[in-house]
Amino acid sequence: MNHPKSATDNEQATHTRGVSRRDFFKLSGATAGVAVAAGATAKGGRSKAFADAANGAASSNGSIHKRPWWVREVDEPTTEIDWGQKSRISEQQRTVRGPGLANYVGEDRAEEVGAIAAENKKQRILDNEPGYRLRDWAFYGSAGFFGFQHAPLSFLPLEGVESPDDLGVPRWEGTPSENANMVRAAMRHFGAATVGFVELDENTKKLIYSQDPDGKTVEFEDVDEAYENDDKRVIPDKAKWVIVYTMQMSEETMRLAPGPIGAGTTSVAYARFPQIQASTQGFLRGLGYQGLGESSINALGIAPAFGVLAGLGEMGRHNRLITPEYGPMVRVQKIVTDLPLEPTKPIDAGIQEFCKTCKVCAEQCPSDSLSYEDEPYWNTVGEWNEPGHKAWFEDAVSCMEYWRTGPGTNCGICFSVCPYAKKDETFMHTMVKATAARTRLFNGMFTNMDQAFGYGERDPEDWWSLDLPEYGIDTQRSARQQV
């Protein structure tokens, strides 16, 4: 369903990026009027939307920290789902990650693109190509090294934390709401950005993989304790809750995508993942409960789907999660537990509605892998996409081939150019997002305003001179959005 870029599209994109900063502020000076119009035209009316703003009101969304005031809880996610079409899938056989590409292009082509990637990497280093120099590759190669070497991922909790049985005391007992707030507080300190919860039932169990990336099956059984052997991992039926959490990525670093430095922010986030998971599993063990984690990256279940159901964000045009707090600049992970947790509700922050107009990620995609359709659709594109929900399905094969034959790393351009990836450092950013959450009327103008600054275009050589905070992220970002 993708449509090739037209000359008009490219001319318009070039023209938009050429808008001067002065012209941008002329446009943005109208946002006060835009906000008033949005409140008057949107469902719920002006008085409700801006009374909320004046009072600092926000969606409590169960145990997720206080959200920006313009985020609304909803009973059903903005992504339409037909659970009758869904079934559990094998991560190993269905995705294009790792060796999965060969399932769709054949072993010969998969080996060919791997060889191209290796040769390109060597030649770029020899050519001293900006953004692909030896120091750039050294950063990328080392960014995720420590986390996975010293805190290995494990389905079962690692030994070391004393359980109530070890201490001879009763296990922790709290209400699902108390438990959810407690887990969130602990995980935020461990390094999670946002935390939500989904209850496993007949439908949501379909989002747990039938087979993990290493080939082991994942099964539910009526047993008291989780276990695994050479063939399978077993989740007890009583483990009915999924903890879903995000980890921030550096916006400034991702703006150097594609290439080793931009890809490095993904690696740094994933390097924090084993520590957060192991700490959470240990915390649950210390309370007297089980925490069943991902045995490897992208294991256990479909992360974006759980993120949507947990209210952490909405699905975007690039078929990935976009959050109100950090846009798409997150990785999404999950842990299954038998600790009763109050589920958090899906949200409507106007994000998917904005994507219907925006299309910037599709325009900037170098492999033309993203859809230009105005509305999400039911028909999937390729067997790697899971049916049963409406989305803008991507061509994952052309995307993965570009990764290997182009930059030789992951890409991330669709993340870096997203208007929601911008930090809310000014009232202007917040007001634009708040207006988009209430009405589609100004979304086209907001997209043009965002592109006026040429976001996503950065000289990779400049990154080495930036004075970024720890991990390249702003950990106070969500806290500022609560006031």
Side-chain angles (χ1 to χ4, degrees):
M1 293 195 178
N2 292 345
H3 302 301
K5 301 179 181 70
S6 67
T8 302
D9 291 335
N10 291 331
E11 290 169 3
Q12 183 176 3
T14 302
H15 173 74
T16 301
R17 288 194 294 271
V19 176
S20 69
R21 189 174 291 255
R22 180 179 180 183
D23 289 339
F24 173 85
F25 282 111
K26 286 181 180 179
L27 284 171
S28 61
T31 55
V34 168
V36 172
T41 58
K43 183 177 181 180
R46 176 176 180 270
S47 59
K48 174 67 170 68
F50 291 92
D52 284 351
N55 295 328
S59 164
S60 62
N61 204 21
S63 58
I64 294 181
H65 68 280
K66 188 178 179 184
R67 312 302 290 273
W69 62 266
W70 39 271
V71 178
R72 295 185 294 121
E73 291 181 357
V74 292
D75 293 327
E76 299 292 335
T78 53
T79 297
E80 294 183 49
I81 304 172
D82 180 357
W83 290 107
Q85 292 189 46
K86 288 199 169 293
S87 60
R88 296 178 62 198
I89 64 170
S90 166
E91 197 282 342
Q92 185 190 56
Q93 297 176 1
R94 287 289 293 272
T95 74
V96 299
R97 291 186 283 261
L101 180 62
N103 294 335
Y104 302 102
V105 300
E107 292 287 349
D108 290 344
R109 176 57 179 168
E111 291 179 6
E112 179 185 4
V113 297
I116 291 172
E119 180 59 31
N120 285 348
K121 177 179 179 178
K122 178 180 178 180
Q123 192 60 49
R124 282 167 163 163
I125 294 173
L126 293 174
D127 292 342
N128 208 27
E129 182 178 337
Y132 295 88
R133 295 174 177 172
L134 184 60
R135 67 178 181 180
D136 304 313
W137 287 107
F139 169 73
Y140 176 54
S142 62
F145 178 78
F146 182 85
F148 292 102
Q149 289 293 317
H150 298 279
L153 293 170
S154 174
F155 172 68
L156 299 175
L158 301 174
E159 298 294 331
V161 176
E162 291 181 311
S163 69
D165 287 343
D166 295 331
L167 298 171
V169 300
R171 72 177 186 177
W172 169 269
E173 298 291 348
T175 68
S177 178
E178 290 170 340
N179 294 342
N181 283 307
M182 172 183 66
V183 167
R184 179 197 158 265
M187 293 188 68
R188 286 276 288 174
H189 200 71
F190 296 151
T194 53
V195 184
F197 310 99
V198 175
E199 186 170 0
L200 288 175
D201 57 26
E202 181 181 352
N203 288 328
T204 53
K205 279 185 177 180
K206 296 176 182 178
L207 304 179
I208 298 291
Y209 287 132
S210 61
Q211 186 180 42
D212 267 342
D214 62 359
K216 287 189 181 183
T217 61
V218 182
E219 302 178 13
F220 290 89
E221 292 183 7
D222 185 15
V223 295
D224 192 55
E225 296 289 332
Y227 70 91
E228 70 173 307
N229 55 36
D230 292 341
D231 302 315
K232 65 180 179 179
R233 298 185 173 94
V234 173
I235 301 173
D237 289 335
K238 69 176 185 178
K240 297 180 179 179
W241 294 272
V242 181
I243 303 169
V244 194
Y245 60 100
T246 62
M247 302 172 300
Q248 263 200 87
M249 296 190 296
S250 170
E251 175 206 351
E252 288 85 355
T253 306
M254 185 63 86
R255 287 166 72 178
L256 275 65
I261 300 179
T265 189
T266 305
S267 298
V268 168
Y270 277 133
R272 303 201 313 273
F273 165 35
Q275 186 268 327
I276 296 172
Q277 175 172 291
S279 297
T280 304
Q281 288 175 299
F283 179 64
L284 293 168
R285 175 181 168 82
L287 296 172
Y289 295 87
Q290 301 173 74
L292 310 176
E294 300 182 48
S295 58
S296 63
I297 294 177
N298 298 315
L300 194 59
I302 305 175
F306 277 117
V308 167
L309 293 178
L312 301 186
E314 300 178 56
M315 290 298 286
R317 178 174 292 276
H318 65 335
N319 208 21
R320 298 294 183 272
L321 191 75
I322 300 179
T323 70
E325 293 85 1
Y326 313 106
M329 295 297 179
V330 294
R331 311 315 299 182
V332 189
Q333 317 298 148
K334 55 275 172 197
I335 296 172
V336 175
T337 183
D338 56 351
L339 174 69
L341 297 165
E342 180 182 37
T344 46
K345 299 182 70 173
I347 62 167
D348 181 353
I351 295 171
Q352 190 174 90
E353 286 297 314
F354 188 88
C355 287
K356 293 178 180 180
T357 303
C358 180
K359 303 182 181 179
V360 169
C361 60
E363 293 169 355
Q364 299 297 321
C365 177
S367 57
D368 201 27
S369 301
L370 302 181
S371 171
Y372 285 81
E373 296 291 333
D374 292 337
E375 298 286 335
Y377 38 87
W378 292 104
N379 294 331
T380 60
V381 177
E383 294 181 7
W384 53 85
N385 286 129
E386 168 68 4
H389 64 284
K390 290 179 71 174
W392 290 285
F393 294 102
E394 84 279 15
D395 185 342
V397 170
S398 63
C399 175
M400 184 60 67
E401 285 195 314
Y402 172 74
W403 283 21
R404 299 186 183 181
T405 60
T409 64
N410 62 32
C411 178
I413 289 175
C414 56
F415 283 66
S416 68
V417 300
C418 176
Y420 280 91
K422 313 308 178 293
K423 290 183 179 179
D424 297 326
E425 294 180 337
T426 67
F427 173 77
M428 187 68 62
H429 288 117
T430 301
M431 187 54 66
V432 166
K433 289 183 178 181
T435 303
R438 293 294 190 264
T439 178
R440 295 179 59 183
L441 186 60
F442 306 101
N443 286 353
M445 184 184 78
F446 291 154
T447 300
N448 290 339
M449 291 166 61
D450 178 82
Q451 292 300 292
F453 284 157
Y455 283 117
E457 299 175 356
R458 287 292 182 270
D459 185 344
E461 294 298 290
D462 293 343
W463 183 84
W464 291 97
S465 301
L466 295 178
D467 185 17
L468 297 179
E470 292 86 346
Y471 297 115
I473 61 176
D474 178 4
T475 58
Q476 286 294 306
R477 186 170 174 183
S478 62
R480 287 195 296 272
Q481 291 178 330
Q482 296 179 35
V483 297

